[in-house]
Amino acid sequence: MTGEYILRVEDIHKKFNDREILRGISFNVKKGATIVFIGPSGTGKSTLLRCINQLTEPDRGKVFLDDEEITGCGSRISGYRQRIGMVFQNFNLFDHLTAVENVEIAPIKVRKMKKEEAHAKAMEELHRVGMADWAHHYPAELSGGQAQRVSIARCLAMDPEVILFDEPTSALDPELTREVLEVMKDLARSGMTMLVVSHEMGFARSVATEIIFMEGGRIVEQGSPLEIMNNPKHPRTREFLGRIEHT
Amino acid sequence: MDPITFLTQILAPALWKGLIVTVALVVLTAPFGLLLGTGLALGRQYGGRALSTACSGYIVFFKGCPLLLLLFILYFGLPSLGLTLPAFTAAVIGFILCNAAYNSEYIQGAVASIKDGQMTAAQALGMTRAQAIKSIILPQAMRRAIPGLSNEFIYLIKYSSLAYMITVVELTGAAKIAATRYFMFNESFFAVGIVYLALVTLTTYAVGRLEQRVAIPGMGVKT
């Protein structure tokens, strides 16, 4: 049972002050799967992603990467984070570094790769996301879509086994959203395992292997895009989908 | 003695010697003041409660202690505890201790101004906190701290004259000795004022060049 999943999340709970954000989240992720999390704002989707790579420490529950428990692993977490990439809503590119330096810094500092090798790898990843021509530009000189594509390249340069996308297109206008979604679709097709918090239903329909609808810190419903989008069982899922279709 | 002879034969050579001592005081103080200031800032920002409190205590103490008093303690006070420091060494130590306290305030402000997302992204890539601070946070924060640090550097040039109070004959001391001996106060202090002005102007220019050099394109730093 366990070996077929690259990532297992078991009964994650998280409270901030007295507010319970996650109330027992469990799911499994198969290698190459694309899971899209949808649900109202403040429902704990981003916190859940941050609990997976331990940027936020869950109060209870376990996360396993390839059957190795990463919750409560102390300083070894840096090693696991190298295997779980993350893409942020606000890109979080390093402002003082050019695009290519942003991509090569982690391989150099964390994986101790030689500078030339890391540079070649960085250029390869920038090329993959269509940003090779912008390699020597600084983040402040890039559009939101370009910055997000660089941040995806930065993630890919570490050869992650799973990538967490935390609302990667929420800060972008529709035109820029499209260029980022194209890169993500290519990634999904290439077999990358992806967990995506997003309300891009077109993306979810065409790429997701599973959609998880969350509300109030719980998973309300999960299933294939066809099941969730065409035939949602739970009334809250129906209501939510109805609402976002009209926006 | 006529003023021209005094300025060229007496004052100029004396000020030159004094200038060398002033520059030595500043050059020896600044790097260690910066290093200690950075350590204090990071200790306060990222250290645990004990380290953070210790750093804050240091800063409160040395910001509150008049520099002259500190120099007196180091030079005149420590010998009674069995530790005698040469005047120049006592001055440099006093300046470093004081300079670091003020530098740390500028650096900590700059570190705190770096968006949380920078640290988060670095850690998400597998960097440890120390790696993230060294490679991501400090390079950005130091750029932002340059204007404050340069002010402190200019203060250092000027308050280095306090070293004379513990017998280090630096620029002001050299002028004072020449002025007293030849009773030419206006000429001496006007001349030394010009030397300080030149030093500060040079520093201001150099800092401007440095800011341009390390400016991040697109980040709105004036060029």
Side-chain angles (χ1 to χ4, degrees):
Chain A
M1 178 74 179
T2 53
E4 66 182 296
Y5 299 112
I6 189 162
L7 189 75
R8 287 188 291 131
V9 174
E10 287 180 3
D11 197 30
I12 292 287
H13 289 256
K14 182 69 193 173
K15 255 189 202 173
F16 287 116
N17 299 322
D18 279 341
R19 203 162 152 241
E20 221 174 345
I21 303 296
L22 298 174
R23 303 162 185 248
I25 301 280
S26 302
F27 61 91
N28 298 322
V29 184
K30 281 186 181 163
K31 193 168 168 48
T34 298
I35 299 187
V36 175
F37 293 85
I38 58 171
S41 298
T43 206
K45 305 183 295 293
S46 296
T47 306
L48 174 63
L49 290 195
R50 294 171 68 99
C51 281
I52 290 172
N53 65 357
Q54 306 286 294
L55 285 174
T56 297
E57 215 173 306
D59 299 329
R60 220 167 80 203
K62 292 175 179 176
V63 177
F64 297 87
L65 178 67
D66 246 350
D67 289 337
E68 296 169 47
E69 186 178 349
I70 66 176
T71 19
C73 70
S75 61
R76 283 185 297 126
I77 190 60
S78 296
Y80 289 115
R81 283 184 186 142
Q82 295 172 44
R83 297 164 58 191
I84 307 175
M86 187 163 198
V87 173
F88 301 89
Q89 181 178 354
N90 296 320
F91 333 127
N92 290 345
L93 288 179
F94 305 130
D95 292 332
H96 63 304
L97 301 177
T98 61
V100 68
E101 288 167 343
N102 258 281
V103 180
E104 69 192 17
I105 191 164
I108 292 170
K109 300 285 177 192
V110 179
R111 292 175 77 181
K112 310 294 177 202
M113 205 183 260
K114 283 204 186 85
K115 185 142 185 12
E116 303 73 43
E117 200 186 333
H119 186 79
K121 171 86 174 152
M123 288 307 297
E124 188 187 311
E125 298 303 350
L126 283 174
H127 187 76
R128 185 169 172 184
V129 299
M131 284 298 293
D133 290 343
W134 294 81
H136 299 290
H137 285 74
Y138 283 84
E141 300 173 309
L142 305 176
S143 72
Q146 290 174 322
Q148 194 60 294
R149 284 188 282 154
V150 172
S151 92
I152 294 172
R154 179 174 69 175
C155 208
L156 292 172
M158 293 298 281
D159 294 319
E161 291 162 46
V162 180
I163 302 183
L164 313 173
F165 290 85
D166 187 8
E167 305 207 32
T169 58
S170 299
L172 306 176
D173 65 38
E175 185 68 26
L176 302 178
T177 296
R178 198 174 315 139
E179 65 185 54
V180 172
L181 291 180
E182 284 308 315
V183 169
M184 290 171 63
K185 281 180 191 172
D186 286 345
L187 268 181
R189 287 185 199 116
S190 73
M192 177 61 73
T193 309
M194 298 171 30
L195 273 61
V196 185
V197 171
S198 174
H199 292 145
E200 295 296 334
M201 298 314 288
F203 171 82
R205 189 188 296 273
S206 62
V207 179
T209 48
E210 189 173 3
I211 294 179
I212 294 182
F213 173 64
M214 280 176 66
E215 189 173 51
R218 289 197 179 90
I219 291 177
V220 175
E221 188 169 353
Q222 66 192 101
S224 71
L226 270 180
E227 288 166 346
I228 297 288
M229 293 169 85
N230 295 353
N231 189 23
K233 293 185 177 58
H234 200 282
R236 277 299 297 136
T237 319
R238 276 199 292 274
E239 194 184 327
F240 177 78
L241 287 171
R243 226 177 324 128
I244 59 170
E245 267 167 24
H246 289 98
T247 53
Chain B
M1 184 181 285
D2 73 284
I4 299 295
T5 310
F6 172 72
L7 285 174
T8 54
Q9 304 296 314
I10 307 294
L11 192 62
L15 288 189
W16 177 248
K17 281 187 190 158
L19 178 64
I20 290 170
V21 176
T22 292
V23 170
L25 284 169
V26 170
V27 165
L28 286 172
T29 299
F32 294 105
L34 183 63
L35 211 63
L36 183 56
T38 307
L40 288 166
L42 295 178
R44 213 152 58 131
Q45 186 74 14
Y46 297 109
R49 186 177 289 183
L51 182 60
S52 177
T53 308
C55 292
S56 297
Y58 175 99
I59 292 160
V60 168
F61 180 80
F62 284 102
K63 272 173 65 184
C65 178
L67 180 55
L68 189 56
L69 193 66
L70 181 61
L71 295 182
F72 282 167
I73 292 169
L74 288 169
Y75 187 62
F76 299 116
L78 287 186
S80 67
L81 300 173
L83 181 63
T84 304
L85 295 171
F88 185 85
T89 310
V92 169
I93 291 174
F95 292 161
I96 289 173
L97 294 173
C98 172
N99 185 249
Y102 285 96
N103 280 346
S104 77
E105 295 277 37
Y106 297 118
I107 297 168
Q108 201 207 346
V111 166
S113 77
I114 304 298
K115 286 174 285 181
D116 289 344
Q118 299 283 298
M119 173 62 89
T120 309
Q123 288 188 307
L125 284 164
M127 286 191 200
T128 61
R129 219 150 75 119
Q131 283 176 322
I133 290 168
K134 183 166 166 273
S135 303
I136 307 299
I137 306 297
L138 271 183
Q140 295 183 54
M142 284 312 214
R143 283 173 165 90
R144 292 188 191 183
I146 288 175
L149 292 173
S150 72
N151 267 346
E152 192 51 36
F153 188 80
I154 287 168
Y155 285 135
L156 170 63
I157 292 173
K158 293 192 281 188
Y159 64 61
S160 67
S161 61
L162 287 176
Y164 180 53
M165 301 304 285
I166 56 166
T167 75
V168 178
V169 183
E170 41 62 71
L171 208 43
T172 306
K176 169 81 171 19
I177 290 167
T180 313
R181 188 171 298 162
Y182 294 91
F183 213 68
M184 295 242 184
F185 291 97
N186 285 340
E187 293 83 348
S188 299
F189 293 135
F190 188 71
V192 83
I194 288 176
V195 177
Y196 276 114
L197 185 64
L199 278 178
V200 169
T201 307
L202 196 68
T203 303
T204 309
Y205 173 75
V207 168
R209 291 295 300 267
L210 176 69
E211 270 190 290
Q212 277 179 22
R213 222 177 128 166
V214 301
I216 300 167
M219 291 293 279
V221 177
K222 96 178 149 60
T223 54

